[in-house]
Amino acid sequence: MTENTQQQPASNPELPTQYVPAEVEGKLYERWVERGYFEADEKSEKPPFTVVIPPPNVTGSLHLGHAFEHTLIDAVTRRKRMQGYETLWQPGMDHAGIATQNVVERELAKEGKSRHDLGREAFVERVWKWKGESGGQISGQMRRLGDGVAWSRERFTMDEGLSKAVQTIFKKLYDDELIYRAERIINWCPRCLTAISDIEVEYQDDDGELVSLKYGEGEDSVVVATTRAETMLGDTAVAVHPGDARYAHLVGKRIKLPLTDRTIPVVADEHVDPEFGTGAVKVTPAHDPNDFEIGRRHGLPNITVMDERAVITVPGPFEGLDRLEARSAIVAALRADGRIVAEKRPYTHSVGHCSRCKTTIEPRLSLQWWVKVGPLAKAAGDAVRDDRVTIHPKEMESRYFGWVDNLHDWCISRQLWWGHRIPVWYGPNGEMVCVGPDDEAPAGEGWTQDTDVLDTWFSSGLWPFSTLGWPEQTPSVEKFYPNSILITGYDILFFWVARMMMFGLYAMDGTPPFSTIVLHGMVRDEHGKKMSKTFGNVVNPLDWMDKYGTDAVRFTLARGANPGVDVPIGEDWVQGSRNFANKIWNATRFAMMNGATVEGPLPDAAELSATDRWILSRLNAVVAEVDAYYEDYQFAKLSDSLFHFAWDEVFDWYVELSKTTFIEGGEAAKVSGRVLGEVLDVTLRLLHPVVPFVTETLWTTLTGKESVVVADWPADSGLRDTAAEREIGHLQQVITEVRRFRSDQGLQPGQKVPARLDLTGTPLAAHEAAIRQLLRLQPEGEGFHATATLPVAGATVALDLSGTIDIEAERKRLTKDLGAAEKEKAQATAKLGNEAFLAKAPDNVVEKIRGRLAKSEADIERLTTQLAGLPQG
């Protein structure tokens, strides 16, 4: 508390002296939920604003990525709610097939059991039990974060309504011949024993071996290279480029496959790169996606050499060996047979791993269910091309098109028990029947249902409309579909976003699921490094929330959120945001104790001081600026704008400049108190979507109203007072320059100095009392001797520093600093005048040198002024 704050009685004793987030946040959130602020009414006549939560896994817990994404969504929805929209932020969770099944299987393993010991039905019951007892802890953590979601509408991808939606769209796609069953190469996890989607494959550089093998004999021999020697047991051809003269004599011939009694053909295929390696490749159609396509083109047989656990099944010496054991044994056998031409180890190459269990993925030929994505993907691309859907930032469009325009058919079946079971039944005589939600399943002996379940992304792809009650045409579907916006990470643009686009356009008569897709980056550590348990840099946001408060975490995340760009975050930055929350609290409390009020209308402009008119002008400019940033999803810029306005302009300038008025009291103090109340009211409302807790407490105390959650969003009145802004700009310049001079002289901030102010010809005469107070300048008095004179903004400030500084020592210091600044200017000027340098140097380097030049010129001007102000003699 400053020395002047005690001169006014405390009019708001209910506001504590310190802000303690832990004492506020939980109670406030429960009050918001109890009052129904976050619920959405489909009968409302307000315009709808709908956004879905990217459904977190039921096994998940809040991590910084969630906290980041949820902060952005919450900020947008809170603002829209304040703007008068019927706002629905749809919550829910994904059943997360593989992840959840793995969790429950690990629990069973502790009991010495497997899911097969229980059987399918009992195992699924066990998973539901786990979900009820342990799943969904992230819901409670979302409350900690302040998520303004409609909890009464919470959905789960395996609940009855969403399961009906899944079965409905599967049947529709099946009937439209967009779902089919076929053998294709898929990503197979030998540990999870299921096909997995591309997004569930993590690639990393592994050390392996590259072995070059000789097939055939003499002139009819060819050398191929492989990192997976064990798959050679399933080779059914060697492929070369049709234009490669080296192998023209071999095309169409058959050569001996080592370690086997088979011969295989040499085929010519455009896929082979003649410049890579030897220009010849082994073809294993059952264990490589590219080889599979070559095999289809040339009618090659598919020989599977491993079972579902990646154990060799080919009769002979390698049968029963794990794939890695077989690799070593086969290389040894080939070496003994003289077939090894070259070996390179370690050979570092990119290898796919299961994201759940980290097992190396095995490409495997398998009979699976597929979605024919061609027409669906075209529709998803067209919706963006014809501007029915906007992707933000726009540069992400090319990545989207690159994906949907080249999308392969989607494998949707998983060899799991937890999930939506494929609604297809097989009869005793080869019949196959797809069953819709209103159909009776075939009865009778020999009929069985497909044992596979659907990929988790299949059900989450329906999320924007299944959560609203589709396939029924519910009031919620009519009111809230399509969604207004989707905010999600660019990392799932291809998987979740593309699938929602395909399914939404298909199921909802060509209406896209949302009109705007906002893509954000990934949260990284303060050094820009990916957060990983391996790196030891993973942060639990709950720890920071406990330590610094939720608002501090949210504000830090929002302030780093530039569109489509990764977000570095460090604890120091969260501390800085905590300081900002405390600054808001302390400054608001001080202002309220000194007469800040929202009672009554704002005084007429004639009654306002230049300081009052300046801050109101700036306030309206910031309202307009923040609105523009919100519309462009520039969360970092809007947060930064609010930070600097609140801290710098309101608290550090307006409140300080108004202290003299408050001390003197009278009508001017009442006017400034009403202006300050208005500024705080609007500023707190502008800040609320990003920092909801501290603003709720302060705003309700300041205004006496129900809640800032349901307050009106501030509107720009259009008021701009350029004259007042110019006048206060001059005032700020005087105070800033004199403060810098005082600091340069080593004066303490509170040290008082005699001064003569010449404000003639400037609009600053009315501010002399404020200038003297803020700069600790005493009246000149008798015996005043100006030892330093500072001309600033048309005014002159003469200071008597007698006895406070060593004039000659100060002159030497300033002269030395001036010489250094002039040298810096000369160097920067020379570089910027060098055409050869400018032609070669990167833009950021040139910009940095321009910045050095500008700084050196400012330093020269400042130091010259200071030297001129020192007394002579």
Side-chain angles (χ1 to χ4, degrees), residues 482-508:
N483 291 194
S484 309
I485 188 175
L486 174 73
I487 300 178
T488 192
Y490 64 68
D491 58 324
I492 56 174
L493 169 65
F494 312 133
F495 305 103
W496 187 47
V497 179
R499 282 152 173 67
M500 285 191 291
M501 287 284 284
M502 290 191 296
F503 280 166
L505 289 160
Y506 174 73
M508 305 302 284

PDB file of all heavy atoms in Angstrom, residues 482-508:
ATOM      1  N   PRO A 482     -25.149 -26.295 -37.858  1.00  0.00           N
ATOM      2  CA  PRO A 482     -23.752 -26.681 -37.662  1.00  0.00           C
ATOM      3  C   PRO A 482     -23.085 -25.915 -36.522  1.00  0.00           C
ATOM      4  O   PRO A 482     -23.563 -24.861 -36.124  1.00  0.00           O
ATOM      5  CB  PRO A 482     -23.106 -26.314 -39.000  1.00  0.00           C
ATOM      6  CG  PRO A 482     -23.917 -25.148 -39.486  1.00  0.00           C
ATOM      7  CD  PRO A 482     -25.331 -25.453 -39.070  1.00  0.00           C
ATOM      8  N   ASN A 483     -21.987 -26.464 -36.015  1.00  0.00           N
ATOM      9  CA  ASN A 483     -21.200 -25.753 -35.015  1.00  0.00           C
ATOM     10  C   ASN A 483     -20.668 -24.465 -35.630  1.00  0.00           C
ATOM     11  O   ASN A 483     -20.466 -24.368 -36.840  1.00  0.00           O
ATOM     12  CB  ASN A 483     -20.021 -26.599 -34.549  1.00  0.00           C
ATOM     13  CG  ASN A 483     -20.452 -27.822 -33.726  1.00  0.00           C
ATOM     14  OD1 ASN A 483     -19.622 -28.437 -33.091  1.00  0.00           O
ATOM     15  ND2 ASN A 483     -21.730 -28.167 -33.728  1.00  0.00           N
ATOM     16  N   SER A 484     -20.423 -23.487 -34.782  1.00  0.00           N
ATOM     17  CA  SER A 484     -19.917 -22.204 -35.267  1.00  0.00           C
ATOM     18  C   SER A 484     -18.428 -22.275 -35.581  1.00  0.00           C
ATOM     19  O   SER A 484     -17.957 -21.666 -36.539  1.00  0.00           O
ATOM     20  CB  SER A 484     -20.162 -21.119 -34.215  1.00  0.00           C
ATOM     21  OG  SER A 484     -21.512 -21.122 -33.801  1.00  0.00           O
ATOM     22  N   ILE A 485     -17.713 -23.028 -34.764  1.00  0.00           N
ATOM     23  CA  ILE A 485     -16.258 -22.999 -34.843  1.00  0.00           C
ATOM     24  C   ILE A 485     -15.699 -24.296 -34.278  1.00  0.00           C
ATOM     25  O   ILE A 485     -16.337 -24.951 -33.448  1.00  0.00           O
ATOM     26  CB  ILE A 485     -15.712 -21.780 -34.050  1.00  0.00           C
ATOM     27  CG1 ILE A 485     -14.216 -21.596 -34.262  1.00  0.00           C
ATOM     28  CG2 ILE A 485     -16.013 -21.914 -32.572  1.00  0.00           C
ATOM     29  CD1 ILE A 485     -13.684 -20.325 -33.597  1.00  0.00           C
ATOM     30  N   LEU A 486     -14.544 -24.671 -34.754  1.00  0.00           N
ATOM     31  CA  LEU A 486     -13.779 -25.764 -34.157  1.00  0.00           C
ATOM     32  C   LEU A 486     -12.402 -25.209 -33.821  1.00  0.00           C
ATOM     33  O   LEU A 486     -11.751 -24.622 -34.678  1.00  0.00           O
ATOM     34  CB  LEU A 486     -13.637 -26.942 -35.122  1.00  0.00           C
ATOM     35  CG  LEU A 486     -12.709 -28.065 -34.610  1.00  0.00           C
ATOM     36  CD1 LEU A 486     -13.388 -28.853 -33.505  1.00  0.00           C
ATOM     37  CD2 LEU A 486     -12.283 -28.988 -35.742  1.00  0.00           C
ATOM     38  N   ILE A 487     -11.979 -25.370 -32.570  1.00  0.00           N
ATOM     39  CA  ILE A 487     -10.640 -24.969 -32.160  1.00  0.00           C
ATOM     40  C   ILE A 487      -9.897 -26.238 -31.746  1.00  0.00           C
ATOM     41  O   ILE A 487     -10.311 -26.922 -30.807  1.00  0.00           O
ATOM     42  CB  ILE A 487     -10.678 -23.966 -30.987  1.00  0.00           C
ATOM     43  CG1 ILE A 487     -11.435 -22.699 -31.396  1.00  0.00           C
ATOM     44  CG2 ILE A 487      -9.262 -23.625 -30.530  1.00  0.00           C
ATOM     45  CD1 ILE A 487     -11.575 -21.675 -30.284  1.00  0.00           C
ATOM     46  N   THR A 488      -8.837 -26.546 -32.475  1.00  0.00           N
ATOM     47  CA  THR A 488      -8.116 -27.790 -32.188  1.00  0.00           C
ATOM     48  C   THR A 488      -6.683 -27.686 -32.686  1.00  0.00           C
ATOM     49  O   THR A 488      -6.326 -26.735 -33.391  1.00  0.00           O
ATOM     50  CB  THR A 488      -8.839 -28.987 -32.829  1.00  0.00           C
ATOM     51  OG1 THR A 488      -8.301 -30.206 -32.321  1.00  0.00           O
ATOM     52  CG2 THR A 488      -8.705 -28.975 -34.339  1.00  0.00           C
ATOM     53  N   GLY A 489      -5.862 -28.656 -32.318  1.00  0.00           N
ATOM     54  CA  GLY A 489      -4.458 -28.642 -32.700  1.00  0.00           C
ATOM     55  C   GLY A 489      -4.243 -29.056 -34.142  1.00  0.00           C
ATOM     56  O   GLY A 489      -4.963 -29.897 -34.677  1.00  0.00           O
ATOM     57  N   TYR A 490      -3.242 -28.456 -34.762  1.00  0.00           N
ATOM     58  CA  TYR A 490      -2.954 -28.814 -36.157  1.00  0.00           C
ATOM     59  C   TYR A 490      -2.514 -30.268 -36.287  1.00  0.00           C
ATOM     60  O   TYR A 490      -2.564 -30.850 -37.364  1.00  0.00           O
ATOM     61  CB  TYR A 490      -1.912 -27.883 -36.766  1.00  0.00           C
ATOM     62  CG  TYR A 490      -0.526 -27.931 -36.146  1.00  0.00           C
ATOM     63  CD1 TYR A 490       0.286 -29.052 -36.266  1.00  0.00           C
ATOM     64  CD2 TYR A 490      -0.013 -26.837 -35.445  1.00  0.00           C
ATOM     65  CE1 TYR A 490       1.552 -29.095 -35.704  1.00  0.00           C
ATOM     66  CE2 TYR A 490       1.261 -26.873 -34.882  1.00  0.00           C
ATOM     67  CZ  TYR A 490       2.037 -28.003 -35.012  1.00  0.00           C
ATOM     68  OH  TYR A 490       3.288 -28.045 -34.458  1.00  0.00           O
ATOM     69  N   ASP A 491      -2.110 -30.880 -35.165  1.00  0.00           N
ATOM     70  CA  ASP A 491      -1.618 -32.256 -35.233  1.00  0.00           C
ATOM     71  C   ASP A 491      -2.712 -33.261 -35.545  1.00  0.00           C
ATOM     72  O   ASP A 491      -2.427 -34.363 -36.007  1.00  0.00           O
ATOM     73  CB  ASP A 491      -0.919 -32.637 -33.927  1.00  0.00           C
ATOM     74  CG  ASP A 491      -1.821 -32.504 -32.712  1.00  0.00           C
ATOM     75  OD1 ASP A 491      -2.643 -31.567 -32.690  1.00  0.00           O
ATOM     76  OD2 ASP A 491      -1.700 -33.325 -31.786  1.00  0.00           O
ATOM     77  N   ILE A 492      -3.985 -32.909 -35.277  1.00  0.00           N
ATOM     78  CA  ILE A 492      -5.063 -33.846 -35.622  1.00  0.00           C
ATOM     79  C   ILE A 492      -5.939 -33.298 -36.752  1.00  0.00           C
ATOM     80  O   ILE A 492      -7.066 -33.741 -36.946  1.00  0.00           O
ATOM     81  CB  ILE A 492      -5.926 -34.236 -34.394  1.00  0.00           C
ATOM     82  CG1 ILE A 492      -6.516 -33.005 -33.699  1.00  0.00           C
ATOM     83  CG2 ILE A 492      -5.130 -35.078 -33.429  1.00  0.00           C
ATOM     84  CD1 ILE A 492      -7.481 -33.380 -32.586  1.00  0.00           C
ATOM     85  N   LEU A 493      -5.386 -32.356 -37.500  1.00  0.00           N
ATOM     86  CA  LEU A 493      -6.091 -31.833 -38.673  1.00  0.00           C
ATOM     87  C   LEU A 493      -6.469 -32.958 -39.613  1.00  0.00           C
ATOM     88  O   LEU A 493      -7.587 -33.024 -40.128  1.00  0.00           O
ATOM     89  CB  LEU A 493      -5.186 -30.819 -39.389  1.00  0.00           C
ATOM     90  CG  LEU A 493      -5.636 -30.342 -40.779  1.00  0.00           C
ATOM     91  CD1 LEU A 493      -6.925 -29.565 -40.666  1.00  0.00           C
ATOM     92  CD2 LEU A 493      -4.546 -29.482 -41.412  1.00  0.00           C
ATOM     93  N   PHE A 494      -5.544 -33.884 -39.848  1.00  0.00           N
ATOM     94  CA  PHE A 494      -5.750 -34.919 -40.848  1.00  0.00           C
ATOM     95  C   PHE A 494      -6.678 -36.021 -40.350  1.00  0.00           C
ATOM     96  O   PHE A 494      -7.359 -36.663 -41.138  1.00  0.00           O
ATOM     97  CB  PHE A 494      -4.412 -35.541 -41.237  1.00  0.00           C
ATOM     98  CG  PHE A 494      -3.347 -34.533 -41.534  1.00  0.00           C
ATOM     99  CD1 PHE A 494      -2.088 -34.659 -40.998  1.00  0.00           C
ATOM    100  CD2 PHE A 494      -3.611 -33.439 -42.335  1.00  0.00           C
ATOM    101  CE1 PHE A 494      -1.090 -33.731 -41.267  1.00  0.00           C
ATOM    102  CE2 PHE A 494      -2.637 -32.499 -42.615  1.00  0.00           C
ATOM    103  CZ  PHE A 494      -1.382 -32.643 -42.078  1.00  0.00           C
ATOM    104  N   PHE A 495      -6.677 -36.250 -39.075  1.00  0.00           N
ATOM    105  CA  PHE A 495      -7.359 -37.432 -38.562  1.00  0.00           C
ATOM    106  C   PHE A 495      -8.763 -37.103 -38.054  1.00  0.00           C
ATOM    107  O   PHE A 495      -9.753 -37.570 -38.586  1.00  0.00           O
ATOM    108  CB  PHE A 495      -6.505 -38.068 -37.473  1.00  0.00           C
ATOM    109  CG  PHE A 495      -5.132 -38.377 -37.964  1.00  0.00           C
ATOM    110  CD1 PHE A 495      -4.056 -37.578 -37.636  1.00  0.00           C
ATOM    111  CD2 PHE A 495      -4.914 -39.446 -38.822  1.00  0.00           C
ATOM    112  CE1 PHE A 495      -2.792 -37.845 -38.121  1.00  0.00           C
ATOM    113  CE2 PHE A 495      -3.653 -39.721 -39.314  1.00  0.00           C
ATOM    114  CZ  PHE A 495      -2.590 -38.919 -38.962  1.00  0.00           C
ATOM    115  N   TRP A 496      -8.848 -36.285 -37.035  1.00  0.00           N
ATOM    116  CA  TRP A 496     -10.160 -35.981 -36.468  1.00  0.00           C
ATOM    117  C   TRP A 496     -10.909 -34.949 -37.317  1.00  0.00           C
ATOM    118  O   TRP A 496     -12.069 -35.139 -37.671  1.00  0.00           O
ATOM    119  CB  TRP A 496      -9.991 -35.476 -35.038  1.00  0.00           C
ATOM    120  CG  TRP A 496     -11.297 -35.303 -34.319  1.00  0.00           C
ATOM    121  CD1 TRP A 496     -12.332 -36.194 -34.271  1.00  0.00           C
ATOM    122  CD2 TRP A 496     -11.702 -34.164 -33.559  1.00  0.00           C
ATOM    123  NE1 TRP A 496     -13.360 -35.679 -33.501  1.00  0.00           N
ATOM    124  CE2 TRP A 496     -12.992 -34.431 -33.061  1.00  0.00           C
ATOM    125  CE3 TRP A 496     -11.087 -32.948 -33.244  1.00  0.00           C
ATOM    126  CZ2 TRP A 496     -13.683 -33.521 -32.267  1.00  0.00           C
ATOM    127  CZ3 TRP A 496     -11.776 -32.056 -32.441  1.00  0.00           C
ATOM    128  CH2 TRP A 496     -13.061 -32.334 -31.963  1.00  0.00           C
ATOM    129  N   VAL A 497     -10.241 -33.860 -37.669  1.00  0.00           N
ATOM    130  CA  VAL A 497     -10.909 -32.781 -38.398  1.00  0.00           C
ATOM    131  C   VAL A 497     -11.410 -33.275 -39.750  1.00  0.00           C
ATOM    132  O   VAL A 497     -12.566 -33.051 -40.133  1.00  0.00           O
ATOM    133  CB  VAL A 497      -9.964 -31.571 -38.574  1.00  0.00           C
ATOM    134  CG1 VAL A 497     -10.669 -30.471 -39.366  1.00  0.00           C
ATOM    135  CG2 VAL A 497      -9.508 -31.048 -37.215  1.00  0.00           C
ATOM    136  N   ALA A 498     -10.553 -33.961 -40.494  1.00  0.00           N
ATOM    137  CA  ALA A 498     -10.953 -34.446 -41.814  1.00  0.00           C
ATOM    138  C   ALA A 498     -12.120 -35.431 -41.712  1.00  0.00           C
ATOM    139  O   ALA A 498     -13.034 -35.415 -42.542  1.00  0.00           O
ATOM    140  CB  ALA A 498      -9.766 -35.102 -42.507  1.00  0.00           C
ATOM    141  N   ARG A 499     -12.115 -36.290 -40.690  1.00  0.00           N
ATOM    142  CA  ARG A 499     -13.199 -37.262 -40.531  1.00  0.00           C
ATOM    143  C   ARG A 499     -14.509 -36.572 -40.172  1.00  0.00           C
ATOM    144  O   ARG A 499     -15.581 -36.948 -40.651  1.00  0.00           O
ATOM    145  CB  ARG A 499     -12.817 -38.304 -39.478  1.00  0.00           C
ATOM    146  CG  ARG A 499     -11.843 -39.362 -40.034  1.00  0.00           C
ATOM    147  CD  ARG A 499     -10.962 -39.953 -38.957  1.00  0.00           C
ATOM    148  NE  ARG A 499     -10.143 -41.060 -39.421  1.00  0.00           N
ATOM    149  CZ  ARG A 499      -9.149 -40.993 -40.291  1.00  0.00           C
ATOM    150  NH1 ARG A 499      -8.876 -39.842 -40.865  1.00  0.00           N
ATOM    151  NH2 ARG A 499      -8.456 -42.061 -40.634  1.00  0.00           N
ATOM    152  N   MET A 500     -14.452 -35.561 -39.307  1.00  0.00           N
ATOM    153  CA  MET A 500     -15.680 -34.808 -38.998  1.00  0.00           C
ATOM    154  C   MET A 500     -16.217 -34.110 -40.238  1.00  0.00           C
ATOM    155  O   MET A 500     -17.434 -34.048 -40.441  1.00  0.00           O
ATOM    156  CB  MET A 500     -15.402 -33.788 -37.890  1.00  0.00           C
ATOM    157  CG  MET A 500     -15.276 -34.389 -36.513  1.00  0.00           C
ATOM    158  SD  MET A 500     -15.260 -33.134 -35.204  1.00  0.00           S
ATOM    159  CE  MET A 500     -13.688 -32.352 -35.505  1.00  0.00           C
ATOM    160  N   MET A 501     -15.322 -33.569 -41.044  1.00  0.00           N
ATOM    161  CA  MET A 501     -15.760 -32.924 -42.274  1.00  0.00           C
ATOM    162  C   MET A 501     -16.442 -33.925 -43.202  1.00  0.00           C
ATOM    163  O   MET A 501     -17.531 -33.669 -43.740  1.00  0.00           O
ATOM    164  CB  MET A 501     -14.565 -32.281 -42.973  1.00  0.00           C
ATOM    165  CG  MET A 501     -14.049 -31.025 -42.306  1.00  0.00           C
ATOM    166  SD  MET A 501     -15.112 -29.598 -42.611  1.00  0.00           S
ATOM    167  CE  MET A 501     -14.652 -29.209 -44.302  1.00  0.00           C
ATOM    168  N   MET A 502     -15.824 -35.091 -43.384  1.00  0.00           N
ATOM    169  CA  MET A 502     -16.400 -36.097 -44.282  1.00  0.00           C
ATOM    170  C   MET A 502     -17.760 -36.565 -43.779  1.00  0.00           C
ATOM    171  O   MET A 502     -18.735 -36.630 -44.542  1.00  0.00           O
ATOM    172  CB  MET A 502     -15.433 -37.274 -44.416  1.00  0.00           C
ATOM    173  CG  MET A 502     -14.163 -36.950 -45.187  1.00  0.00           C
ATOM    174  SD  MET A 502     -13.165 -38.410 -45.616  1.00  0.00           S
ATOM    175  CE  MET A 502     -12.675 -39.020 -44.010  1.00  0.00           C
ATOM    176  N   PHE A 503     -17.849 -36.905 -42.496  1.00  0.00           N
ATOM    177  CA  PHE A 503     -19.094 -37.447 -41.957  1.00  0.00           C
ATOM    178  C   PHE A 503     -20.183 -36.381 -41.845  1.00  0.00           C
ATOM    179  O   PHE A 503     -21.363 -36.654 -42.082  1.00  0.00           O
ATOM    180  CB  PHE A 503     -18.844 -38.075 -40.585  1.00  0.00           C
ATOM    181  CG  PHE A 503     -18.240 -39.455 -40.648  1.00  0.00           C
ATOM    182  CD1 PHE A 503     -17.682 -40.040 -39.513  1.00  0.00           C
ATOM    183  CD2 PHE A 503     -18.225 -40.183 -41.814  1.00  0.00           C
ATOM    184  CE1 PHE A 503     -17.129 -41.315 -39.553  1.00  0.00           C
ATOM    185  CE2 PHE A 503     -17.673 -41.461 -41.877  1.00  0.00           C
ATOM    186  CZ  PHE A 503     -17.126 -42.025 -40.739  1.00  0.00           C
ATOM    187  N   GLY A 504     -19.789 -35.151 -41.457  1.00  0.00           N
ATOM    188  CA  GLY A 504     -20.782 -34.093 -41.334  1.00  0.00           C
ATOM    189  C   GLY A 504     -21.434 -33.776 -42.669  1.00  0.00           C
ATOM    190  O   GLY A 504     -22.659 -33.682 -42.777  1.00  0.00           O
ATOM    191  N   LEU A 505     -20.622 -33.617 -43.705  1.00  0.00           N
ATOM    192  CA  LEU A 505     -21.161 -33.322 -45.033  1.00  0.00           C
ATOM    193  C   LEU A 505     -22.017 -34.473 -45.545  1.00  0.00           C
ATOM    194  O   LEU A 505     -23.053 -34.257 -46.197  1.00  0.00           O
ATOM    195  CB  LEU A 505     -20.004 -33.050 -46.002  1.00  0.00           C
ATOM    196  CG  LEU A 505     -19.253 -31.737 -45.779  1.00  0.00           C
ATOM    197  CD1 LEU A 505     -17.874 -31.782 -46.412  1.00  0.00           C
ATOM    198  CD2 LEU A 505     -20.063 -30.567 -46.345  1.00  0.00           C
ATOM    199  N   TYR A 506     -21.595 -35.703 -45.240  1.00  0.00           N
ATOM    200  CA  TYR A 506     -22.321 -36.885 -45.724  1.00  0.00           C
ATOM    201  C   TYR A 506     -23.651 -37.070 -44.995  1.00  0.00           C
ATOM    202  O   TYR A 506     -24.692 -37.299 -45.628  1.00  0.00           O
ATOM    203  CB  TYR A 506     -21.443 -38.116 -45.529  1.00  0.00           C
ATOM    204  CG  TYR A 506     -22.127 -39.431 -45.851  1.00  0.00           C
ATOM    205  CD1 TYR A 506     -22.389 -39.799 -47.163  1.00  0.00           C
ATOM    206  CD2 TYR A 506     -22.504 -40.288 -44.823  1.00  0.00           C
ATOM    207  CE1 TYR A 506     -23.010 -41.004 -47.458  1.00  0.00           C
ATOM    208  CE2 TYR A 506     -23.119 -41.508 -45.105  1.00  0.00           C
ATOM    209  CZ  TYR A 506     -23.374 -41.863 -46.423  1.00  0.00           C
ATOM    210  OH  TYR A 506     -23.999 -43.055 -46.706  1.00  0.00           O
ATOM    211  N   ALA A 507     -23.628 -36.966 -43.681  1.00  0.00           N
ATOM    212  CA  ALA A 507     -24.828 -37.269 -42.891  1.00  0.00           C
ATOM    213  C   ALA A 507     -25.817 -36.113 -42.820  1.00  0.00           C
ATOM    214  O   ALA A 507     -27.018 -36.333 -42.639  1.00  0.00           O
ATOM    215  CB  ALA A 507     -24.428 -37.666 -41.465  1.00  0.00           C
ATOM    216  N   MET A 508     -25.328 -34.880 -42.963  1.00  0.00           N
ATOM    217  CA  MET A 508     -26.172 -33.701 -42.733  1.00  0.00           C
ATOM    218  C   MET A 508     -26.473 -32.970 -44.039  1.00  0.00           C
ATOM    219  O   MET A 508     -26.508 -31.735 -44.087  1.00  0.00           O
ATOM    220  CB  MET A 508     -25.498 -32.774 -41.722  1.00  0.00           C
ATOM    221  CG  MET A 508     -25.126 -33.452 -40.398  1.00  0.00           C
ATOM    222  SD  MET A 508     -26.543 -34.194 -39.533  1.00  0.00           S
ATOM    223  CE  MET A 508     -27.310 -32.737 -38.862  1.00  0.00           C
TER     224      MET A 508
END
